[in-house]
Amino acid sequence: MRLQIRIGILIACVAVLHCGPRSGDGAGPVRPESLKQRNERMAWWRDARFGLFIHWGVYSVPAGEYRGRPVDGIGEWIMNNAHIPCAEYRRYAKRFNPVRYDPDAWVRLAKEAGMKYIIITSKHHDGFALFDSKATEWDVVDATPYGKDLLKPLAEACGRHGLRLGFYHSQAQDWNHPGGSAIGGHWDKAQDGDMDAYIRDIAVPQVREILSNYGPVSVIWWDTPEGMTKERAEAFLPLLDLQPGIIQNNRLGGGYEGDTETPEQYVPATGFPGRDWETCMTMNDTWGYKKSDQNWKSARTLVRQLVEAASKGGNYLLNVGPTSEGLIPEPSVERLKAIGRWTRVNGEAIYGTQASPFRSLEWGRCTQKSVPGGTRLYLHVFDWPADGKLTVSGLRNRPKTAFLLSDPDRSALPVERIEDALVVTLPSAAPDTAASVVVLEIQGKPEVVETPDMASDFTSFTDSLDVTIAPPGRGFDVRYTLDGSAPSISSAKVKGPVRLRETTTVSARCFRGGRPASGVTRRTYEKIAPVPAVTRTGAAPGLAVSLYEGEWSVLPDFRKLRPLRRGTAADFDIAGRRTDDKFGFVFEGFVRVPATGLYAFFTESDDGSRLLIGEKPVVVNDGLHGMEERRGEIALGAGLHPIRVEFFEKTGEEGLVVSWLGPGLPKQRIPGEALFR
Ligand code: FHN
């Protein structure tokens, strides 16, 4: 709940009294916490930047296979994806025997990788507790031949090696305790039951256990907020007092925003301004161990993701999925060691840094730290300049020094000002193929002039296109060229939209006092021929629609599947067509395009969808997700064009909205009167 602060004398308090980090919009008890207290509580986490995620449990026994057949989806979801009955799934526990588990080695591996904290699944959605729980027999002590608590030795190892420990806990999804599943957990009558009773009798007692019995716990990583009402969420909040200073993420549910946002499998383009956030990432495609998943990201990719997250002011929580024997897969070990080789040299450019002062950099990323009398910019160079000149555009500060972070002598590199930019002269060879860090120390806080904004309705056109160019702030002239060259003081000044009639590269730059003040925004806009319309005699109103049943995590090739039913549809509306799970639709027909020109098509769907015009995929919005919208562009001649929309829903909510915009056509759902078959 945000404190309702009346305007007036109380307004000053808002700088002192900060809504407790444990409260969200409209959510329950607010534990007042001053901004200073909050910053102190978050300080270690913000400095840490890099942690290890561990997904471990009984699911590592089947490891992605059930009854001899591979099961689609992430490894820890196998019980759900294959609808394994509870009794059958529990038998896997008899084969969960991590005799090769070496928590001290795990912690040392994480520490040597440069990680500062570990988050391990105390219990995942299958309800299996990795600790000795008095609330259930479905735990490692009572249900497995191993018979020992797995969390306690890990906690002790973290204490020995100075890493912080946190627990992931699936508080509202538990496929093996009655009533324990808020979403997608009902395939076995043994799962039926009362969720409030589950929370009272299993979930809350277990959270109390993991926050009471393992020493200092620095993070509680809730997962699956669905089904959590404010009341249910509030049952857990008092438990946080067992661990003063504990940090919680945004997945408790019940409207509680927690302390940290949790983007999963991606680094948000601009971070979460004003919020702490942490990207969690798999090294392959699964969180829990899956023997067939050998789609490993390279160490270079993982290092660059760590840099990407830090450059946007966020943390990076990198996952491993150990085997049922207690081994971290060798490809994961290799990558952690490679990352460690990088962080040992360049960790200063990650830990305790703040987000980049630049909107974007052509050659890499930037992090920064305040130092006495100025700022240390860490320039993470992904693409080493062939000419040895590293250009930092639009930076107005006076340079103090520059050196390679990998250089033990920190030998000064030449820095010169060329117009708006500081240019560092580099050695010919990059010290590191993943990211080489150049330290550029400047006087004062960074003063950056961003390049001009450049916008247009489309990135291509059939006849003409207006491009608007605007300065990033007041007090600048913007000059532009149409031949790809860098604008100079003699280039044309922007006086309004620039109309293009041919394929053109537009370059724009800020000037102040007759001198360049920023780098260059450069974009190419292509003139293209429209796809000609098709002729279709006797076209009838509406679309052909086929219904398919199946369980997918991405769009299948529907052309290889037999539909359950075929019919017609007035438009792309799926409301009322199906309300349960695991189905797909294919809509096919023609769309009448009113005028020749560029069109944008949109699908907003839960789960995946894609839209084709003719055989060309124009919108790809695939995968498992909530209602997300994606856009695509195509140039079309007036008349009929074949259109096909594919859609699938796995579990939970579903929805599909198909829209378009074009010449004289504001964005709108494609109406039935434009659709034919
Ligand atoms: O369903 C879980 C999934 O298994 C995994 O634990 C991820 C990790 O963040 N969290 C949920 C999906 O968002």
Side-chain angles (χ1 to χ4, degrees), residues 333-470:
V333 173
E334 288 164 11
R335 283 154 180 77
L336 289 174
K337 289 180 175 175
I339 295 168
R341 288 191 290 273
W342 188 86
T343 54
R344 272 192 293 282
V345 173
N346 301 292
E348 176 189 331
I350 298 291
Y351 309 126
T353 60
Q354 306 300 312
S356 171
F358 305 99
R359 186 167 55 191
S360 66
L361 294 162
E362 288 176 358
W363 37 259
R365 302 295 183 269
C366 177
T367 54
Q368 60 171 312
K369 253 178 212 169
S370 293
V371 293
T375 304
R376 187 164 274 190
L377 298 177
Y378 297 97
L379 309 177
H380 301 258
V381 185
F382 294 172
D383 304 317
W384 199 254
D387 63 358
K389 298 295 182 186
L390 185 69
T391 299
V392 186
S393 299
L395 181 59
R396 298 168 48 80
N397 301 73
R398 291 173 63 84
K400 294 170 74 174
T401 183
F403 57 88
L404 287 174
L405 196 51
S406 58
D407 175 1
D409 302 325
R410 301 201 162 187
S411 313
L413 297 172
V415 186
E416 58 184 311
R417 175 165 292 286
I418 298 177
E419 297 182 325
D420 62 285
L422 287 181
V423 180
V424 185
T425 300
L426 303 177
S428 56
D432 191 291
T433 55
S436 304
V437 179
V438 176
V439 177
L440 174 61
E441 209 161 291
I442 56 175
Q443 288 186 356
K445 294 202 176 305
E447 294 172 48
V448 176
V449 177
E450 291 296 351
T451 61
D453 296 319
M454 196 179 289
S456 60
D457 290 340
F458 295 97
T459 56
S460 50
F461 57 99
T462 57
D463 175 48
S464 67
L465 181 70
D466 286 350
V467 177
T468 56
I469 305 171

Side-chain angles (χ1 to χ4, degrees), residues 149-344:
D149 189 303
L150 295 167
L151 302 187
K152 191 168 282 296
L154 184 68
E156 290 161 354
C158 285
R160 281 195 300 276
H161 296 287
L163 264 67
R164 293 211 181 219
L165 177 66
F167 293 136
Y168 165 111
H169 199 80
S170 176
Q171 79 282 4
Q173 194 159 191
D174 183 324
W175 307 323
N176 267 294
H177 287 98
S181 175
I183 54 169
H186 288 278
W187 60 86
D188 183 333
K189 286 214 55 60
Q191 294 167 323
D192 296 339
D194 175 66
M195 184 163 181
D196 292 310
Y198 158 74
I199 287 183
R200 182 191 64 232
D201 302 335
I202 302 291
V204 166
Q206 288 190 319
V207 171
R208 182 178 291 110
E209 289 174 320
I210 61 173
L211 296 185
S212 303
N213 303 337
Y214 299 95
V217 177
S218 300
V219 177
I220 182 84
W221 215 96
W222 306 112
D223 204 4
T224 309
E226 284 79 1
M228 286 293 284
T229 61
K230 189 162 81 74
E231 291 69 29
R232 288 170 175 164
E234 285 173 2
F236 293 93
L237 289 179
L239 302 176
L240 300 181
D241 289 335
L242 294 166
Q243 292 289 341
I246 195 169
I247 291 168
Q248 62 173 327
N249 70 1
N250 64 341
R251 298 194 184 186
L252 173 60
Y256 285 84
E257 62 187 6
D259 300 308
T260 60
E261 298 295 322
T262 52
E264 184 169 315
Q265 302 285 35
Y266 74 100
V267 178
T270 56
F272 285 87
R275 284 276 287 165
D276 291 295
W277 59 274
E278 169 192 72
T279 278
C280 56
M281 182 65 68
T282 56
M283 286 198 197
N284 46 12
D285 294 325
T286 177
W287 302 93
Y289 178 64
K290 184 175 180 183
K291 59 186 147 203
S292 65
D293 185 339
Q294 297 305 319
N295 185 27
W296 300 97
K297 300 174 183 75
S298 66
R300 182 171 104 144
T301 296
L302 301 172
V303 165
R304 290 191 174 184
Q305 286 180 343
L306 169 63
V307 169
E308 183 83 26
S311 75
K312 295 181 168 86
N315 284 20
Y316 183 61
L317 186 64
L318 184 57
N319 182 74
V320 295
T323 68
S324 60
E325 286 186 298
L327 293 176
I328 294 175
E330 194 51 35
S332 296
V333 173
E334 288 164 11
R335 283 154 180 77
L336 289 174
K337 289 180 175 175
I339 295 168
R341 288 191 290 273
W342 188 86
T343 54
R344 272 192 293 282

Side-chain angles (χ1 to χ4, degrees), residues 505-553:
T505 296
V506 182
S507 307
R509 189 177 201 178
C510 294
F511 287 77
R512 178 151 56 185
R515 302 162 64 89
S518 80
V520 177
T521 300
R522 187 171 281 116
R523 278 205 199 114
T524 297
Y525 299 90
E526 192 183 1
K527 182 170 185 175
I528 56 177
V531 174
V534 299
T535 52
R536 170 80 175 167
T537 52
L543 298 163
V545 58
S546 302
L547 168 67
Y548 297 81
E549 274 194 348
E551 183 170 344
W552 310 289
S553 296

